[in-house]
Amino acid sequence: MGRLRFGAYLFLAAMVLIISGCGHDSGEKTASAAGQRTTGLTEDEISNEAFKKLFPLQYNSYKKNEKMEDTAYGGSEKRSKYEADKEPLLPILFNGYGFATEYNEERGHTYALEDIRSIKRITDKSVGSCYTCKSTAVPKMIEEMGEHYWGANFNKEIWPKGEAMGHSPIGCSDCHDPKTMDLRVTRPSFFKALKAQGVDVSNPTKNEMRSYVCGQCHVEYYFSAKNSEVTFPWTKGFKPEDMYEYYNTIAKQNGFEKDWISNISGTPMLKSQHPEYETHMSGTHGKANVSCADCHMPYERVDGKRKITSHWWTSPLKTMQTSCGQCHGDRDLDKLKDRVLEIQEANVSALHEAQEVSTTSHYYVNKMITSGVNKDIIKQAQEYVRQGQWYWDIVAAENSAGFHNPQGSMDSLRISIEQSNKAIRLATEELVKKGVNMDELDKEIEKVKKAVLEEKVNEKKKDMAVNSYFPAQAPLVPAVPVKK
Ligand code: HEC
Ligand code: HEC
Ligand code: HEC
Ligand code: HEC
């Protein structure tokens, strides 16, 4: 099928040559002031289709994002993360929060609007910030609405406005200036966060821009307490430890303490998001100045001679030759792929272990609460639970299954297991003092896990995570800020 399309590329490539050759068709004009060629599009163009005629090769490449095909650990099918080979304990671990109702694997950019529209985490309470990494209308909306954008009602105000503006899912104008096609950053939170780290963002290099455009969205963030503004917790660094410290200091001082309260352990929890940028930057490739585009947007030949930058943002394991081959051409690419799978397997198996221990820690703390253990000791155990979960979640939410930074991800999982185990040890000491039957407790945990795993309806799994032995500890908070 790729072959069949090839003919079309050839034809379109020829068209582009003709257009550029004549210089008077399809709005190809020359900017008189700078002497720079412009597209003839206006600065405010937000429709992907408007770019189609001018850049048919890149546009067609972009359309490949509609394809759905999974790899061993990644890929582009819309699948629930609760499935047995993914992370089946999540309805327990996120209990009390929207992520215990619906949480899916990510897929192609072209689906961003469709997916946010249909996800059950969006409710009548959701805010504008949820829209920020999905739509081409965002920069203009922020310009028009100012500070009000972030906290504005998603369903009532933001979505209808985006539709009226003719929004596209993540598109050309999100990364390119429509007039000049220069790369640009359109989401203000990114440069704000880099500046807070002391990075000079006034004149980024072309290579930096090849990662910056992705770093606008593929990052950890939270909604500020003041106005729900999308904020990146980067001031202390990119490592999971640095971001945790940020949350326990700077974020707290500014009024942000938690994303939600665990319904199992009553712990004020943090929910981590897709920190691809941070993880990559701290890994081997990031430190060697390899950019996101190097692997995810390789140069490809579309007509036997013309090279374009691929706009199919997907797993590089589908394009090893053009992605990895450009730098690792001396290596056997099949072996290199095996190496990636080995790294991912080790990470995912450590992740599953960390999630098991974390689950136990939540239920042990539940038992501390119902057994009347001293509140200060419970608080201490909850701090361990919170850390235990943060350090696996930051790895689980990252979409490379460990590849972007194999060592860093393993370190984080190790800390996670240590912290969850501290909660379990502290709880055990107290529960034994209270005369709790520990064998029975462990059996009840196995029972409740089994009930969650066996429930077929994803939305109902969370309800199986609490019962009369493990009563709910927090009222179900409306799933506010939907982070994806
Ligand atoms: C050295 C190559 C390389 C670089 C550089 C790189 N990635 Fe990746 N990325 C990968 C590989 C390999 C995977 C795993 C794909 C899989 O499991 O199928 C991946 C996975 C992903 C995924 C999940 C894809 C999927 O199919 O589920 C996302 C999203 C992603 N990377 C974003 C980024 C971003 C953003 C950057 C820059 C901050 C970046 N990557 C830098 C190689 C790279
Ligand atoms: C997520 C960011 C992103 C989006 C969205 C995006 N591009 Fe690009 N585009 C890039 C990057 C990165 C490059 C490489 C630029 C470089 O290395 O200087 C690029 C390069 C290009 C080029 C230069 C020629 C080439 O092939 O290298 C054109 C033309 C282009 N893109 C068109 C488009 C069109 C049309 C769309 C919308 C359908 C689009 N881009 C969407 C990031 C993006
Ligand atoms: C405006 C925000 C935004 C920007 C900019 C952006 N992404 Fe994404 N990206 C997303 C969202 C949102 C999704 C998930 C869409 C869904 O699941 O509906 C996604 C998904 C992906 C995926 C997963 C695709 C799959 O098949 O599973 C990859 C890979 C990816 N992005 C890479 C990149 C790279 C590389 C860049 C920079 C060149 C980039 N993205 C820039 C928001 C963005
Ligand atoms: C732009 C160049 C570039 C691209 C593209 C690239 N790499 Fe690398 N890769 C490097 C560099 C540089 C190193 C570090 C080499 C060193 O320190 O010896 C490296 C190291 C590695 C290592 C060893 C990492 C470690 O931590 O020991 C693996 C495995 C690897 N790359 C796999 C891949 C895969 C898989 C892809 C494609 C998805 C890829 N690379 C794409 C440049 C690249």
Side-chain angles (χ1 to χ4, degrees):
M1 134 162 187
R3 287 281 137 196
L4 263 178
R5 287 250 180 105
F6 232 63
Y9 284 136
L10 237 166
F11 171 68
L12 293 165
M15 285 291 293
V16 165
L17 290 176
I18 292 163
I19 291 168
S20 341
C22 301
H24 54 70
D25 202 359
S26 290
E28 281 263 336
K29 291 192 188 88
T30 306
S32 42
Q36 191 183 14
R37 286 153 64 79
T38 68
T39 57
L41 297 171
T42 71
E43 221 156 59
D44 291 340
E45 186 54 67
I46 62 166
S47 161
N48 281 333
E49 282 60 48
F51 295 79
K52 183 177 174 176
K53 270 211 189 112
L54 288 162
F55 305 107
L57 302 175
Q58 286 80 8
Y59 182 86
N60 278 343
S61 167
Y62 160 85
K63 289 302 267 185
K64 282 199 211 167
N65 291 296
E66 288 171 1
K67 281 203 221 175
M68 285 186 266
E69 187 199 332
D70 264 356
T71 55
Y73 296 96
S76 330
E77 278 175 50
K78 187 177 178 178
R79 284 183 58 197
S80 170
K81 287 207 192 219
Y82 306 157
E83 285 180 29
D85 64 323
K86 298 280 179 188
E87 300 165 71
L89 296 173
L90 294 186
I92 298 173
L93 293 161
F94 294 130
N95 213 271
Y97 201 36
F99 285 90
T101 302
E102 188 180 1
Y103 194 5
N104 301 318
E105 289 291 335
E106 90 299 8
R107 55 175 174 163
H109 282 172
T110 41
Y111 293 105
L113 285 177
E114 181 184 329
D115 288 344
I116 190 152
R117 193 62 300 211
S118 65
I119 190 107
K120 295 189 180 73
R121 293 200 306 273
I122 287 278
T123 68
D124 281 339
K125 294 222 162 76
S126 300
V127 293
S129 279
C130 308
Y131 185 69
T132 309
C133 62
K134 318 289 181 203
S135 155
T136 54
V138 171
K140 185 80 188 151
M141 247 190 234
I142 295 177
E143 196 186 308
E144 281 177 21
M145 300 171 70
E147 293 280 294
H148 173 66
Y149 161 80
W150 309 106
N153 189 283
F154 184 93
N155 282 340
K156 290 200 191 77
E157 194 170 349
I158 297 295
W159 185 266
K161 194 171 161 69
E163 277 189 321
M165 288 168 75
H167 61 185
S168 290
I170 306 160
C172 320
S173 59
D174 285 325
C175 303
H176 293 283
D177 177 333
K179 274 178 135 171
T180 61
M181 294 308 276
D182 287 344
L183 289 181
R184 66 173 184 182
V185 166
T186 50
R187 303 305 195 266
S189 316
F190 180 71
F191 279 159
K192 252 192 194 174
L194 282 184
K195 277 187 205 152
Q197 274 188 342
V199 176
D200 176 7
V201 296
S202 58
N203 204 3
T205 63
K206 174 180 141 148
N207 192 54
E208 281 166 341
M209 285 305 286
R210 287 165 55 87
S211 294
Y212 280 6
V213 288
C214 318
Q216 324 181 61
C217 300
H218 286 270
V219 291
E220 159 66 5
Y221 66 82
Y222 69 105
F223 296 159
S224 80
K226 195 178 96 222
N227 60 353
S228 295
E229 180 173 350
V230 174
T231 311
F232 306 168
W234 289 357
T235 315
K236 293 176 185 287
F238 284 148
K239 290 198 175 138
E241 300 89 303
D242 301 332
M243 293 195 269
Y244 191 81
E245 195 183 326
Y246 174 102
Y247 279 120
N248 264 7
T249 53
I250 298 174
K252 266 193 186 157
Q253 284 147 25
N254 292 324
F256 176 91
E257 286 197 356
K258 60 177 185 298
D259 282 305
W260 93 106
I261 291 176
S262 162
N263 195 30
I264 314 285
S265 62
T267 308
M269 305 291 293
L270 296 170
K271 173 75 193 83
S272 161
Q273 314 309 320
H274 35 69
E276 281 86 52
Y277 183 77
E278 299 90 325
T279 309
H280 159 74
M281 292 299 283
S282 325
T284 313
H285 285 101
K287 285 191 184 143
N289 292 323
V290 178
S291 72
C292 311
D294 287 334
C295 290
H296 287 279
M297 301 183 71
Y299 298 111
E300 58 180 12
R301 277 185 202 285
V302 287
D303 59 359
K305 39 182 193 299
R306 246 180 97 96
K307 269 194 179 180
I308 64 153
T309 303
S310 166
H311 282 63
W312 181 27
W313 299 278
T314 189
S315 165
L317 299 184
K318 298 177 191 167
T319 54
M320 294 279 296
Q321 189 70 45
T322 43
S323 289
C324 323
Q326 55 176 309
C327 299
H328 297 293
D330 54 331
R331 290 176 74 163
D332 177 337
L333 290 182
D334 286 335
K335 286 207 184 110
L336 192 62
K337 188 175 198 166
D338 289 344
R339 179 74 198 114
V340 176
L341 293 177
E342 260 168 40
I343 290 169
Q344 293 183 312
E345 193 183 344
N347 254 276
V348 171
S349 104
L351 170 67
H352 285 157
E353 189 189 335
Q355 290 182 332
E356 286 280 347
V357 187
S358 186
T359 299
T360 306
S361 75
H362 277 284
Y363 283 120
Y364 269 48
V365 172
N366 180 287
K367 196 68 193 164
M368 289 172 99
I369 298 169
T370 55
S371 307
V373 169
N374 174 300
K375 289 224 164 59
D376 289 335
I377 300 178
I378 292 177
K379 264 208 166 142
Q380 177 62 63
Q382 286 172 333
E383 172 58 25
Y384 294 141
V385 169
R386 176 172 150 115
Q387 290 193 32
Q389 179 138 337
W390 167 258
Y391 285 103
W392 66 250
D393 194 16
I394 193 97
V395 175
E398 211 278 340
N399 282 299
S400 71
F403 176 78
H404 290 146
N405 183 358
Q407 189 59 50
S409 301
M410 284 305 245
D411 288 347
S412 188
L413 293 171
R414 185 179 43 75
I415 301 176
S416 162
I417 292 171
E418 268 168 27
Q419 295 303 318
S420 299
N421 272 326
K422 278 190 197 163
I424 292 171
R425 268 200 305 276
L426 183 57
T428 306
E429 271 169 36
E430 297 302 315
L431 293 174
V432 166
K433 279 188 221 159
K434 293 277 178 192
V436 169
N437 181 338
M438 298 305 285
D439 284 341
E440 184 186 73
L441 172 59
D442 288 338
K443 279 199 193 113
E444 288 291 338
I445 293 177
E446 287 317 307
K447 253 174 45 193
V448 78
K449 278 198 315 211
K450 193 157 174 268
V452 171
L453 299 185
E454 283 178 356
E455 171 57 56
K456 295 269 183 301
V457 182
N458 281 335
E459 263 181 272
K460 292 191 183 154
K461 282 176 175 280
K462 64 177 187 312
D463 304 326
M464 311 311 278
V466 286
N467 55 29
S468 55
Y469 189 88
F470 295 120
Q473 292 307 317
L476 196 82
V477 246
V480 205
V482 154
K483 296 163 143 194
K484 202 180 147 67

